[in-house]
Structure formats: structure tokens, C-alpha cells
Amino acid sequence: MRRFALQSLLFIASLGMIASAAFAKVTETDFGKTKDGVPAKVFEVTNKNGMKVRLLSRGATLIGVDVPDRDGKLADVVFGFDDMAGYESKANGYFGCTTGRYANRIAKAKFTLDGKEYKLFANDGPNHLHGGDGESLDKVVWDGTPFEKDGVSGVEFAYTSPDGQEGYPGKQEMKVTFTLNDKNELTIDYSAKSDKPTVINLTNHAYFNLGGAGSPTINDHLLTLNADRYTPVDETLITTGKLAPVDGTPLDFRTPTAIGKRVDQLTKTSTLGYDHNFVINRGDAKQGELVEAARLVDPQSGRTLTVMTDQPGIQFYGGNFLKGDKGKGGKSYPYRSACALETQVFPDSPNKQGVEGWTDCVLRPGEEYTHTCVYAFGVEK
Ligand code: BGC
């Protein structure tokens, strides 16, 4: 009798497991190996509205976001590739990756911390960009663990960057967690600890076209940036250390404005178009509190993207270096056909510690770096 009861219980339990597997919101598939032979995985997270987010363990990368338009039609609104070779090719302009250990530029590829100079890889003229060369965070394979809890689901990626990797001091333990809820909000939570003083600036580098990745332009997208000021740059795109007003410039997006309306006024400047860090108006918001930094609207499809963050800055990059290379499904990604909205500390902060109004990027042993960015998708009628 007891044996029968135990068997029945096991049977019922296994049925439960099959049922939960059938309705699981996160699936996992292989995505080939990197050129160094490391296997990578793709996780697909689905919410109850049918919104899907795909995440690749190489670079803890956001490789797909299927969201509905005003008629409920889904389209994938971020750039990416169908295979590992695409991600490892020159056509990959950091599409959707976790960027670091220091996203954006560090002047002359070096900085001094506590009196010691650290040399980094110069991969952008004389400067260091997006964490360096072969072992920047976008190129290494992270450990992904899917989760489903309290009505949300997602993937937690973990990676430990060894002391000295790409020239950065300290062994750095990092986590990047992507969480999708049923309000079509994708939250990215970053955290890191280091065993030596170091510098850090993690971000996500997704390229968005709300008409669907592969649509010809974002010139018609309306952008709002909650920023009265930006950080001007020199000829090599290094911040000058000044905070300048956007008022009266093509960088004034305080009210919704078509990206293409004034972009040509910037084509002959060093940024070749939009490629600027904006100083987010945080008002009275406390440290760690989210504020709305940006809102992007595609009037054609009605899709909207609202970016919220606890960070002080947001880089708006308008795809000036895109050249029509082919991505997912053979679609081409032309000049200025997507934009990145990268929440972060200000560029070149390692060389601007102590400059008035500038941001802190130093992480010391015993401290924890945290950063939250929410990409909230919606529709406008
Ligand atoms: C930078 C651009 C750079 C691009 C590379 C952006 O974050 O602001 O200057 O060319 O990344 O994909």
C-alpha cells in the first residue's frame, strides 16, 4: 500500500515536471563554439504576451528582442547574427554585448590609479574602446543560468575576469542578470566586485531599430533624452572634461525630435553624427533610483522603447559606422539604421577623477559596483 502511494506520488511529481517543462519560459540551445573552441548557448525568454528575448552566453549578449507593433505584429528590433562566425566577424560593432571592463573610451589607452599607471590596448586610434582586444567582456563566454521566479524569468550570467586581463587591475567577479516581466520590460542588473582597486563601466550595446532590425533608417524615429547637458569630445572622441548645455544645439532632444532632423549638422564633426554622452537629469533622485533617461518612438509601427537607469550618463550612438553588412536572416544593416542607448558613467572617467561634475568609476575591494538599466517596450496608437 505504502509502495503504491510512493509510486503514485512519483508519477504525479513527474507529470508536474513535464507540465512545467512544457510551459517553461526559458529555453536553452547550443550556439556553436568560439574560435577558441569554447561552447556557447542561447537562452530564449518568453513572457505571457509572447514577447521574446534571446541571450547569448558569448559576451552576455542580447541577440534578439521580438516585440509587438500597434497591431500586435511581432518584429525583432535588435541587431545580431545567425551564427558565431557573425559575432566573431568585423561586421560586429559590439551588437547587443555586455561591454567592458570599461565601456566607451579611455584616452591614450592608459590611466593612473593610486599613483600607478596602467596601460590598456589602443584599439581606437590612440585610445582604448569598449574594454580592449581579444578578451574584452563581449568576446568571452559567460556562464548562463536561467531562472523563473515570482512571475518573471530571465538569465543570470556570471564571469570572473582575471587580474590583469586586457590590462585592468584586479580579479573582477561580475554578474549580469536579464529579467523579463509581463509588462514587456527587460531589466539588466549588473554587479561586480574586485580584489584590487580598479576602474569599471559596464553597459549593454544593443542596436535598436523599432521598425525591425534591417529596416533602412532610424532617421524617422522620435527621440527624447532627459538631458540638459552633454560631454563634448575632441578630435579623437575623448571627452574634454566640460559639461556643455544642449540648448541651441542639434543635441537638444528634451522634446521628442526626429533623429534625422538635425543629424547632418553633425556629419562633418569628429563624431560623424550622433555619438555623444548625455548627462541625465537626475533631479532629486537618490543613488540607485531609476529615472527615465530616453524614449524612442517609431511612428510607423507605433513601437516605443523607454530607457530607465540609475546611471549618470547615456551614450546615444546613431550607427554612423554601419556599412550595410548583413546580419540575422540576411538582412543588411545600413548607415544610421539603428541606434544604441548605452547607460553608463561618463566616458574617460578613469582620467578625469576629481574633475568637477565628473563621475566616479573606481571600484575598491570590499565595495560592490551595481548598475540597473530597464528597456521598457510599448506601443503608441
Ligand atoms: C561608440 C562609438 C563606436 C561604437 C562601436 C559606441 O558606443 O560611442 O563611437 O564606434 O560604439 O560600435
Side-chain angles (χ1 to χ4, degrees), residues 108 145 181 245 273 344:
K108 307 251 178 344
T145 309
N181 67 16
Q344 52 184 266

Side-chain angles (χ1 to χ4, degrees), residues 93-94 105 130 205 207 275 315 317 321 342:
Y94 298 87
R105 290 178 174 79
H130 293 333
H205 208 286
Y207 286 62
D275 195 358
Q315 181 87 7
Y317 166 59
F321 296 108
E342 310 154 37

